mmCIF file of all heavy atoms in Angstrom:
data_model
loop_
_atom_site.group_PDB
_atom_site.id
_atom_site.type_symbol
_atom_site.label_atom_id
_atom_site.label_comp_id
_atom_site.label_asym_id
_atom_site.label_seq_id
_atom_site.Cartn_x
_atom_site.Cartn_y
_atom_site.Cartn_z
ATOM 1 N N ILE A 121 -10.574 -7.525 -22.231
ATOM 2 C CA ILE A 121 -10.360 -7.945 -20.844
ATOM 3 C C ILE A 121 -8.992 -8.616 -20.710
ATOM 4 O O ILE A 121 -8.668 -9.539 -21.451
ATOM 5 C CB ILE A 121 -11.478 -8.917 -20.384
ATOM 6 C CG1 ILE A 121 -12.853 -8.255 -20.522
ATOM 7 C CG2 ILE A 121 -11.226 -9.393 -18.957
ATOM 8 C CD1 ILE A 121 -13.037 -6.969 -19.748
ATOM 9 N N MET A 122 -8.207 -8.130 -19.756
ATOM 10 C CA MET A 122 -6.878 -8.677 -19.461
ATOM 11 C C MET A 122 -7.037 -9.985 -18.704
ATOM 12 O O MET A 122 -7.771 -10.049 -17.720
ATOM 13 C CB MET A 122 -6.093 -7.661 -18.620
ATOM 14 C CG MET A 122 -4.785 -8.167 -18.065
ATOM 15 S SD MET A 122 -3.552 -8.640 -19.293
ATOM 16 C CE MET A 122 -3.225 -7.063 -20.075
ATOM 17 N N LYS A 123 -6.346 -11.015 -19.148
ATOM 18 C CA LYS A 123 -6.415 -12.310 -18.479
ATOM 19 C C LYS A 123 -5.043 -12.799 -18.027
ATOM 20 O O LYS A 123 -4.921 -13.873 -17.450
ATOM 21 C CB LYS A 123 -7.080 -13.328 -19.397
ATOM 22 C CG LYS A 123 -8.503 -12.897 -19.747
ATOM 23 C CD LYS A 123 -9.332 -14.008 -20.275
ATOM 24 C CE LYS A 123 -10.712 -13.514 -20.644
ATOM 25 N NZ LYS A 123 -11.713 -13.815 -19.681
ATOM 26 N N ASP A 124 -4.013 -12.004 -18.238
ATOM 27 C CA ASP A 124 -2.641 -12.355 -17.866
ATOM 28 C C ASP A 124 -2.472 -12.217 -16.347
ATOM 29 O O ASP A 124 -2.475 -11.108 -15.812
ATOM 30 C CB ASP A 124 -1.667 -11.442 -18.602
ATOM 31 C CG ASP A 124 -0.206 -11.753 -18.315
ATOM 32 O OD1 ASP A 124 0.117 -12.184 -17.192
ATOM 33 O OD2 ASP A 124 0.611 -11.536 -19.222
ATOM 34 N N VAL A 125 -2.319 -13.349 -15.655
ATOM 35 C CA VAL A 125 -2.234 -13.351 -14.194
ATOM 36 C C VAL A 125 -1.011 -12.577 -13.700
ATOM 37 O O VAL A 125 -1.079 -11.896 -12.673
ATOM 38 C CB VAL A 125 -2.243 -14.803 -13.657
ATOM 39 C CG1 VAL A 125 -2.042 -14.839 -12.149
ATOM 40 C CG2 VAL A 125 -3.550 -15.484 -14.019
ATOM 41 N N PHE A 126 0.106 -12.640 -14.422
ATOM 42 C CA PHE A 126 1.289 -11.889 -14.014
ATOM 43 C C PHE A 126 0.994 -10.386 -14.023
ATOM 44 O O PHE A 126 1.315 -9.675 -13.069
ATOM 45 C CB PHE A 126 2.484 -12.195 -14.928
ATOM 46 C CG PHE A 126 3.696 -11.375 -14.596
ATOM 47 C CD1 PHE A 126 4.457 -11.664 -13.472
ATOM 48 C CD2 PHE A 126 4.066 -10.295 -15.390
ATOM 49 C CE1 PHE A 126 5.571 -10.886 -13.147
ATOM 50 C CE2 PHE A 126 5.170 -9.519 -15.073
ATOM 51 C CZ PHE A 126 5.925 -9.818 -13.949
ATOM 52 N N PHE A 127 0.368 -9.895 -15.081
ATOM 53 C CA PHE A 127 0.016 -8.473 -15.158
ATOM 54 C C PHE A 127 -0.966 -8.115 -14.038
ATOM 55 O O PHE A 127 -0.796 -7.109 -13.347
ATOM 56 C CB PHE A 127 -0.590 -8.145 -16.527
ATOM 57 C CG PHE A 127 -0.943 -6.689 -16.682
ATOM 58 C CD1 PHE A 127 0.004 -5.781 -17.125
ATOM 59 C CD2 PHE A 127 -2.214 -6.220 -16.370
ATOM 60 C CE1 PHE A 127 -0.306 -4.427 -17.252
ATOM 61 C CE2 PHE A 127 -2.536 -4.877 -16.488
ATOM 62 C CZ PHE A 127 -1.577 -3.982 -16.938
ATOM 63 N N LEU A 128 -1.978 -8.936 -13.843
ATOM 64 C CA LEU A 128 -3.004 -8.660 -12.834
ATOM 65 C C LEU A 128 -2.447 -8.689 -11.417
ATOM 66 O O LEU A 128 -3.015 -8.072 -10.509
ATOM 67 C CB LEU A 128 -4.154 -9.657 -12.962
ATOM 68 C CG LEU A 128 -4.991 -9.556 -14.236
ATOM 69 C CD1 LEU A 128 -5.917 -10.759 -14.357
ATOM 70 C CD2 LEU A 128 -5.776 -8.259 -14.293
ATOM 71 N N SER A 129 -1.343 -9.373 -11.198
ATOM 72 C CA SER A 129 -0.774 -9.473 -9.853
ATOM 73 C C SER A 129 0.148 -8.304 -9.504
ATOM 74 O O SER A 129 0.669 -8.236 -8.396
ATOM 75 C CB SER A 129 -0.026 -10.799 -9.693
ATOM 76 O OG SER A 129 1.105 -10.831 -10.521
ATOM 77 N N GLN A 130 0.328 -7.375 -10.423
ATOM 78 C CA GLN A 130 1.154 -6.198 -10.156
ATOM 79 C C GLN A 130 0.308 -5.079 -9.543
ATOM 80 O O GLN A 130 -0.842 -4.888 -9.915
ATOM 81 C CB GLN A 130 1.793 -5.700 -11.452
ATOM 82 C CG GLN A 130 2.743 -6.712 -12.069
ATOM 83 C CD GLN A 130 3.284 -6.226 -13.392
ATOM 84 O OE1 GLN A 130 3.692 -5.083 -13.514
ATOM 85 N NE2 GLN A 130 3.274 -7.097 -14.381
ATOM 86 N N LYS A 131 0.910 -4.329 -8.613
ATOM 87 C CA LYS A 131 0.209 -3.211 -7.990
ATOM 88 C C LYS A 131 0.013 -2.081 -8.988
ATOM 89 O O LYS A 131 0.871 -1.824 -9.830
ATOM 90 C CB LYS A 131 0.990 -2.697 -6.782
ATOM 91 C CG LYS A 131 0.965 -3.640 -5.613
ATOM 92 C CD LYS A 131 1.654 -3.033 -4.409
ATOM 93 C CE LYS A 131 1.567 -3.997 -3.245
ATOM 94 N NZ LYS A 131 2.186 -3.458 -2.039
ATOM 95 N N SER A 132 -1.119 -1.414 -8.855
ATOM 96 C CA SER A 132 -1.416 -0.270 -9.715
ATOM 97 C C SER A 132 -0.825 1.003 -9.127
ATOM 98 O O SER A 132 -0.474 1.062 -7.954
ATOM 99 C CB SER A 132 -2.925 -0.122 -9.882
ATOM 100 O OG SER A 132 -3.450 -1.224 -10.583
ATOM 101 N N GLU A 133 -0.759 2.036 -9.957
ATOM 102 C CA GLU A 133 -0.196 3.329 -9.562
ATOM 103 C C GLU A 133 -1.310 4.345 -9.363
ATOM 104 O O GLU A 133 -2.397 4.193 -9.927
ATOM 105 C CB GLU A 133 0.767 3.807 -10.650
ATOM 106 C CG GLU A 133 1.924 2.845 -10.885
ATOM 107 C CD GLU A 133 2.776 3.218 -12.089
ATOM 108 O OE1 GLU A 133 2.491 4.248 -12.733
ATOM 109 O OE2 GLU A 133 3.703 2.462 -12.375
ATOM 110 N N PRO A 134 -1.052 5.394 -8.598
ATOM 111 C CA PRO A 134 -2.077 6.425 -8.395
ATOM 112 C C PRO A 134 -2.568 7.012 -9.718
ATOM 113 O O PRO A 134 -1.786 7.196 -10.653
ATOM 114 C CB PRO A 134 -1.356 7.489 -7.560
ATOM 115 C CG PRO A 134 -0.273 6.740 -6.858
ATOM 116 C CD PRO A 134 0.164 5.674 -7.823
ATOM 117 N N ALA A 135 -3.861 7.274 -9.767
ATOM 118 C CA ALA A 135 -4.471 7.895 -10.945
ATOM 119 C C ALA A 135 -4.379 9.410 -10.831
ATOM 120 O O ALA A 135 -4.399 9.961 -9.732
ATOM 121 C CB ALA A 135 -5.923 7.461 -11.073
#
Side-chain angles (χ1 to χ4, degrees):
I121 302 302
M122 171 62 65
K123 299 198 182 259
D124 182 327
V125 175
F126 176 75
F127 181 87
L128 293 169
S129 67
Q130 297 176 46
K131 289 185 178 181
S132 294
E133 300 172 2

